[in-house]
Amino acid sequence: MKFFHLSDLHLGLKLHGRDLAEDQTYVLNQIVKAAEERRPDAVVIAGDIYDRSMPSGEAMRLFDWFLTELRRRSPKTAILVISGNHDNALRINTYRELLETSGIHLIGLPPETPEDRMARVTLTDEYGDVDFLLLPFVRPSMLRQTLNIEEGDSLSYEEAIKRLLERENLDHERRNVLVSHQFYVPDRSSAVDVERAETETRMVGNIDAVSASLLEAFDYAALGHIHKPMRMGRETVRYSGTPMPYSFSEAGQEKSITEVTLGEKGSLQLATIPLQPLHGIRIIKGTPEEVLQEGSKESSEDYISVQLTERSPEGAYDLREKLQAAFPNLLEIKFAWKRDRALKDSAAGGKGGEQELSPYDLCMEFLGECTEDEEELLREVLNEVTAGTGEEEGKEGEV
């Protein structure tokens, strides 16, 4: 039994305001081509089809095109899809029964009543049946009726997932695959140790963390939610990651399809099929001269984040124009030297260690390079706002 494991398509996402529809179409085309060539028994998409619960018409048309092309070019491949925390579960669930007649299983909702169980799709090969259990993203509050939670009682995310799994009558003689979109962490590990992308939704205190030890009964767990490809403690519990980078925190990551091959019970092989982005993601850090020199080496179509370590000797606008000429897809300019100096100044203020940035420094971090007149105006505005509070911003010289 061979299947592709994908997740976190995030169709409709914009990178610093840049529309990525062309980039996403480019990568989805590679997935369709791989399915046509390798003929997997199933393509599994573990949630976050869209970036927003109310996706744009363009994002919905792109997903429609993707499903249509998969079905046309690999007609015997089953398509298994669950909703993620970015998706609207009811929308994903629309036309569920009708689509199942075409081998497309879109599961938006978890079990809703005490009698309901997880959606299950069974595929068969020469070794027998493989049961795919499809569990969309759930919050404990969604399961009050399903799990008979009394008014006033509450469940943790981990306890909610644990109870859902315990209700399933798994046949341990058969091969079982779970498709789930949650924040799983390796057993005996801390949630803060899991590498996360800056675009991922995070909950205060990591209250949504679920121990991956709950998944030991499955021959493979196809997970979605984390944007970097990784395993959760063991090879059979994996995040496939996004099919393309969606933030500068993902710069340098290699994106791919995870190809899973199940042999007889207990036999599993994993392979990766590389996916090439239309535009790479790069961070270039250095002085203005060093950054411009990097841009002069070759014309780059990558999406670029520039992080300046020194103030420009020329005007801010002149520098911005030069950077944009050097990097056609420049998406952001950060001024690392401002934060570094502010932290140094705070540490030297007698309190010891790195301190939080002042309102002035936070505004400058957000605004970027400003003229001296603009910096002076900012000081005046902040002084006006903080007048009478004892927090007046002093003149700080050149910033």
Side-chain angles (χ1 to χ4, degrees):
M1 180 69 61
K2 179 170 66 179
F3 62 92
F4 287 176
H5 170 197
L6 300 161
S7 74
D8 297 88
L9 305 183
H10 286 281
L11 302 182
L13 181 143
K14 288 179 168 56
L15 178 62
H16 290 268
R18 182 64 60 93
D19 191 331
L20 297 179
E22 183 182 8
D23 298 75
Q24 292 177 325
T25 303
Y26 184 81
V27 169
L28 293 179
N29 246 322
Q30 294 176 54
I31 297 170
V32 170
K33 183 179 179 181
E36 183 178 31
E37 293 174 349
R38 303 173 79 96
R39 301 290 180 176
D41 297 288
V43 169
V44 172
I45 304 176
D48 279 356
I49 300 158
Y50 301 112
D51 190 56
R52 298 179 181 276
S53 60
M54 296 290 286
S56 66
E58 183 178 34
M60 295 176 70
R61 283 193 296 272
L62 181 55
F63 187 54
D64 176 67
W65 168 85
F66 178 51
L67 292 184
T68 302
E69 285 298 290
L70 273 177
R71 172 55 64 243
R72 183 177 70 83
R73 293 166 64 177
S74 187
K76 295 184 179 180
T77 298
I79 302 172
L80 316 180
V81 183
I82 63 170
S83 64
N85 59 299
H86 280 248
D87 297 313
N88 183 311
L90 287 171
R91 284 174 177 265
I92 300 302
N93 224 57
T94 304
Y95 309 122
R96 170 174 165 177
E97 293 184 9
L98 176 62
L99 289 170
E100 284 178 353
T101 62
S102 300
I104 300 174
H105 305 266
L106 265 63
I107 310 301
L109 295 168
E112 297 182 87
T113 70
E115 294 74 34
D116 287 346
R117 294 295 181 267
M118 293 182 201
R120 188 177 300 211
V121 175
T122 300
L123 302 178
T124 304
D125 64 7
E126 63 268 32
Y127 297 107
D129 293 334
V130 178
D131 290 331
F132 289 81
L133 277 72
L134 309 179
L135 177 60
F137 174 75
V138 296
R139 297 180 179 86
S141 59
M142 298 166 63
L143 302 173
R144 301 196 67 84
Q145 180 181 355
T146 309
L147 299 178
N148 291 314
I149 307 302
E150 295 183 4
E151 193 67 31
D153 291 342
S154 61
L155 289 179
S156 67
Y157 275 78
E158 181 167 318
E159 183 63 23
I161 298 298
K162 180 174 182 290
R163 291 200 193 182
L164 277 180
L165 293 175
E166 287 174 345
R167 298 164 75 248
E168 298 299 323
N169 242 341
L170 291 184
D171 184 342
H172 296 285
E173 298 299 316
R174 293 155 68 111
R175 292 161 295 169
N176 297 285
V177 175
L178 177 71
V179 184
S180 177
H181 189 99
Q182 301 287 155
F183 178 33
Y184 292 98
V185 298
D187 191 27
R188 293 185 292 277
S189 295
S190 171
V192 298
D193 296 329
V194 178
E195 185 177 345
R196 312 284 297 277
E198 62 188 27
T199 52
E200 292 178 36
T201 300
R202 306 184 189 210
M203 293 192 176
V204 176
N206 291 309
I207 62 170
D208 56 335
V210 178
S211 174
S213 64
L214 297 181
L215 310 181
E216 290 180 356
F218 293 93
D219 295 89
Y220 186 79
L223 307 181
H225 192 49
I226 302 298
H227 287 192
K228 180 180 180 179
M230 64 177 71
R231 62 184 179 90
M232 288 290 106
R234 57 193 180 97
E235 290 295 329
T236 56
V237 180
R238 302 188 71 87
Y239 285 101
S240 64
T242 57
M244 59 175 280
Y246 285 134
S247 68
F248 285 108
S249 62
E250 297 172 64
Q253 290 183 15
E254 294 183 1
K255 302 297 186 176
S256 62
I257 302 166
T258 302
E259 184 182 64
V260 183
T261 303
L262 295 174
E264 58 186 342
K265 180 74 174 179
S267 172
L268 177 142
Q269 292 182 340
L270 296 171
T272 55
I273 305 170
L275 294 172
Q276 300 301 323
L278 181 61
H279 300 93
I281 294 278
R282 279 202 296 152
I283 298 173
I284 302 176
K285 187 172 183 178
T287 66
E289 294 78 11
E290 291 170 339
V291 171
L292 288 170
Q293 185 177 12
E294 182 71 20
S296 66
K297 291 180 180 178
E298 58 183 42
S299 178
S300 173
E301 295 299 318
D302 291 346
Y303 292 134
I304 300 294
S305 170
V306 165
Q307 299 184 6
L308 297 173
T309 57
E310 290 182 8
R311 186 186 182 103
S312 171
E314 56 192 4
Y317 299 112
D318 289 341
L319 175 61
R320 185 178 295 273
E321 287 183 359
K322 288 184 178 181
L323 289 171
Q324 288 173 334
F327 304 104
N329 288 317
L330 175 67
L331 297 189
E332 70 172 2
I333 302 173
K334 288 189 172 183
F335 302 90
W337 56 271
K338 292 185 178 181
R339 174 173 287 274
D340 292 343
R341 201 185 77 172
L343 291 172
K344 181 179 178 181
D345 290 345
S346 296
K351 295 182 180 180
E354 293 186 354
Q355 305 297 321
E356 290 186 2
L357 298 183
S358 68
Y360 174 84
D361 292 320
L362 287 170
C363 288
M364 290 301 295
E365 173 101 349
F366 175 78
L367 293 171
E369 189 91 358
C370 296
T371 65
E372 291 185 5
D373 288 343
E374 289 168 337
E375 292 182 12
E376 182 61 29
L377 177 61
L378 175 61
R379 290 191 182 94
E380 292 176 3
V381 171
L382 287 173
N383 287 340
E384 183 70 24
V385 171
T386 58
T389 66
E391 298 176 0
E392 184 172 333
E393 287 277 306
K395 303 281 185 180
E396 299 192 19
E398 183 184 64
V399 178

